[in-house]
Amino acid sequence: MELSLMQALLLAAYYWFASWYMFYSVINVFLGPLFTGMICGLVLGDVPTAMKIAAVIQPMFLAFTGAGGTVVWDETAATLGGCTITMISGLPIESAVTIAVPLSLLCAQLHTVRRIITVYTAQQSDKYAAVGNDKGIVFMATWWNIIMKIFLFGVPMFFALYFGAEAVGSFMNSLPDWITNALGATGKLLPALGFAMTVNVIGRPQFLPFFLAGFFLAAYSGMSGIPLALMGLFIAFLYYLILEASSEKDAVDEGSAAAAKADEEGKKLLTKKDVNNLVFRWNMFCEMSNSFARLQSVAFCAAFIPVLKKLYGNDQEEYSAALTRHLMFFNTEGIWGSVVHGIVLAMEEQRALGAPIPIEAVTGIKAGLMGPFAGIGDTIDWSTLKPLFIMLVLPLAEAGSFLAPIFYFILLGGVTYAENLFFVRTGYKMGTDAALSILQGGMIQKFISCASVLGMFMMGGLSSSMVSVTTPIQIPTGDTTAMSVQKDILDAIAPGLLTLAAVLLVYKYLRSGKSMMKATFWLLGIGLVLGAIGIIGEGGLLLKPIAVAAA
């Protein structure tokens, strides 16, 4: 199979589109392996195979949240390269992971360059704000970045795929069996990093028994997907009941009082439509112009332009001042952090009505609240809900179904956008009391704990099938047969022991403070060496399979 010019153009165009980072609620869907795999399948004419490859690649990136805007992996490039090279070369599906990892690390550097270049958007937006040119700010928040990314992402990916994919595929096909086994064994081992990272992020050590419960339940019963999730929900609910029973008293409902107080404010300048429009614009712009200079500042300002114009449009000087103050440094998690947007919106409206609200109070609220809500949002939405939704649809992807990314899009996009609406409306209605209500309420901690229980259980169950570490070692028994170390010894004790050991060892390594980059290279090295020799996998250079002499 050869990659045509049109196929290379279409795949590069998708990479460019994904790099827009448009619509915060579904960024992770477009960037992720499942949706990217579906696009590869459509372009290359084999959706089932592409989805199976994407299912193999996905666990590597299960836990990465990009907190603070960091980009260590490029999931989209990894999947485009892994799917394309594997499919045009006819390689084993497991080989895609080994191809994907170096590609993801290499292309991640493009995102560092992106955030350096987009420093210009903040500088130019300052000039536009000074003269009240809101169209210029919106252009810098959107179209300037989209055009720039053609050259930064689209063009390099086209040349890499069109001129490099076939060459890499031919090279891979010419490799001897022992190297092929090394690559296959490494591909099955590397997903252990994704699961270990997820467990490290969403679960405290005391939740590890739930991980073990999920692992052995799946290993013994073969349960996966929806049945496993239902079992996890039942266990998480039991845990919630235990927490409720052990609570001395319920959290004080500060939110209701704050809402009642807000309802008595009287006159409003803004409508529900204005608030909803702010939500839509923020969700669309949030990460498009992120830069090292002021991170989400341009997006924040661009999202607020219609309401600021409605509040201050009759006073050009005041309008320019409002644009300028909302171009100051800002960075938060885009969903839970949008409480800040609602609070700031309420303060700006009251200021426009003549309330004595100093500018320092508005900017102080932004600076003081963006951090705490970012931590909550990253924990709940991107470290817990996102992996859970992926795990729910992953069995569909393993079966080659295009429905996996569609359901993932609906689940993640629907839940997070609904949250976005709720938090902006809540912040606007309740003002600064909204922050105290959410941050101080005891329910949020219970929710995080129960979500962690569910997440740990699901990670345990899915890791038993998505990570595979086996050994071909056989021990002669004195007759014509041999005892298999894997089937006759390890599996007789408990199925999946080597797989479980791999995940837990990586987890312990990460818990000790070591970086995931080092863990990646260690796994690559160990997998390639042990696979080449024949300790793990299905064969090897020196041992095909290993026969250990009887004592």
Side-chain angles (χ1 to χ4, degrees), residues 311-327:
L311 295 175
Y312 304 116
N314 294 327
D315 186 336
Q316 186 64 28
E317 184 177 346
E318 186 68 29
Y319 182 50
S320 294
L323 293 174
T324 299
R325 66 174 166 266
H326 290 304
L327 282 170

Side-chain angles (χ1 to χ4, degrees), residues 138-157:
V138 172
F139 177 80
M140 298 309 297
T142 55
W143 289 108
W144 188 91
N145 297 278
I146 290 172
I147 295 169
M148 175 269 294
K149 289 170 183 176
I150 294 175
F151 305 99
L152 184 60
F153 293 96
V155 173
M157 181 56 71

